[in-house]
């Protein structure tokens, strides 16, 4: 009698296990594969000094629930070296360029989720740059390859429709060409990397 009870209990446990696995498989097969989004850096467009005139569009595709490929398009304007330390930016002692640079940057990236919302990501940003003097005259064109690495966490809202991804990252530019000498004189004192936070958000569909 006890053996029969144990056998029946074992069968019930196995059935429940298979049902749970089936539910997980169904969930995995119906997860939202696409997303569109941007970044909270857009709020920088409301400042007067160093206004970035920033535009960023993110589009992503989930190969699996853990693996995501990204395409981003960025457009921005900057008038000070990107390697300038945060301390000088916050205390207002940063040194500006004798003009400004405009970037158009298509970007490819890969994101890996390791546990819950914890992720790492890497991006290759191809920046095609136009340099202008203080009068807005074009004085040259260049190219910079930026490699961005991030470590962050994704928070989901409204039944996984929306998400927010605070992160910490580092941007490193191993290749930089076509920079006018007047711009080089300002930026050569700073490194070719910059530690920065990430504030991406998006909509899943």
């Amino acid at each position: 009698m006890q053996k029969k009870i144990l056998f029946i209990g074992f069968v019930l446990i196995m059935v429940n296990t298979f049902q749970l696995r089936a539910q997980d498989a169904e969930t995995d097969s119906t997860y939202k594969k696409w997303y569109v989004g941007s970044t909270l850096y857009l709020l920088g467009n409301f400042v007067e000094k160093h206004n970035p005139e920033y535009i960023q569009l993110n589009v992503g595709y989930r190969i699996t629930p853990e693996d995501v490929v990204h395409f981003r398009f960025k457009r921005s304007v900057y008038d000070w070296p990107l390697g300038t330390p945060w301390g000088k930016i916050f205390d207002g002692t940063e040194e500006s360029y004798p003009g400004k640079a405009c970037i158009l940057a298509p970007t490819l990236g890969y994101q890996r989720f390791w546990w819950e919302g914890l992720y790492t990501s890497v991006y290759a940003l191809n920046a095609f740059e136009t340099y202008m003097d203080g009068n807005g005259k074009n004085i040259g064109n260049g190219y910079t390859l930026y490699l961005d690495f991030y470590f962050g966490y994704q928070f989901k809202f409204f039944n996984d429709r929306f998400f927010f991804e605070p992160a910490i990252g580092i941007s490193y530019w191993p290749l930089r060409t076509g920079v006018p000498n007047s711009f080089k004189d300002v930026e050569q004192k700073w490194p070719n990397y910059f530690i920065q936070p990430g504030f991406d958000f998006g909509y899943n569909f």
Side-chain angles (χ1 to χ4, degrees):
M1 185 68 178
Q2 291 180 345
K3 290 183 179 180
K4 289 183 179 181
I5 293 174
L6 289 174
F7 177 76
I8 294 173
F10 177 75
V11 171
L12 290 174
I13 291 173
M14 293 301 296
V15 169
N16 286 334
T17 300
F18 288 136
Q19 287 179 341
L20 289 174
R21 287 180 179 176
Q23 290 173 0
D24 289 341
E26 182 179 354
T27 300
D28 289 344
S29 66
T30 58
Y31 64 88
K32 300 173 180 64
K33 292 182 178 292
W34 291 91
Y35 86 87
V36 293
S38 191
T39 173
L40 292 184
Y41 278 122
L42 295 174
L43 297 176
N45 294 329
F46 293 100
V47 303
E48 294 184 6
K49 186 179 181 181
H50 302 311
N51 189 308
E53 302 177 29
Y54 198 82
I55 298 172
Q56 178 174 322
L57 174 65
N58 304 336
V59 178
Y61 177 77
R62 292 179 175 82
I63 304 173
T64 72
E66 294 81 25
D67 303 283
V68 189
V69 290
H70 301 265
F71 173 77
R72 295 179 171 184
F73 177 79
K74 296 183 181 182
R75 188 269 185 192
S76 67
V77 173
Y78 65 98
D79 59 3
W80 46 278
L82 298 181
T84 302
W86 280 106
K88 287 190 169 292
I89 296 173
F90 287 130
D91 65 19
T93 61
E94 75 280 358
E95 186 176 0
S96 297
Y97 286 131
K100 60 183 179 180
C102 179
I103 292 179
L104 295 177
T107 303
L108 293 176
Y110 168 74
Q111 183 180 37
R112 172 69 181 181
F113 287 90
W114 300 100
W115 178 78
E116 298 292 338
L118 197 69
Y119 72 87
T120 55
S121 58
V122 59
Y123 298 93
L125 189 153
N126 298 278
F128 300 93
E129 298 169 308
T130 300
Y131 296 95
M132 293 162 282
D133 62 18
N135 297 317
K137 180 182 177 181
N138 188 333
I139 58 174
N141 298 290
Y143 169 82
T144 301
L145 173 63
Y146 293 90
L147 299 177
D148 295 344
F149 305 91
Y150 286 96
F151 174 76
Y153 193 91
Q154 184 184 87
F155 295 93
K156 300 177 182 180
F157 306 96
F158 302 109
N159 197 27
D160 197 21
R161 283 292 181 182
F162 297 90
F163 64 85
F164 176 57
E165 295 181 345
I168 186 68
I170 182 170
S171 183
Y172 166 65
W173 43 100
L175 178 61
R176 187 161 169 80
T177 63
V179 182
N181 290 331
S182 58
F183 283 63
K184 284 183 179 180
D185 291 340
V186 178
E187 66 180 34
Q188 64 183 358
K189 65 183 69 174
W190 304 122
N192 62 336
Y193 64 87
F194 187 65
I195 297 174
Q196 59 188 357
F199 302 106
D200 284 1
F201 61 87
Y203 171 76
N204 297 313
F205 63 95

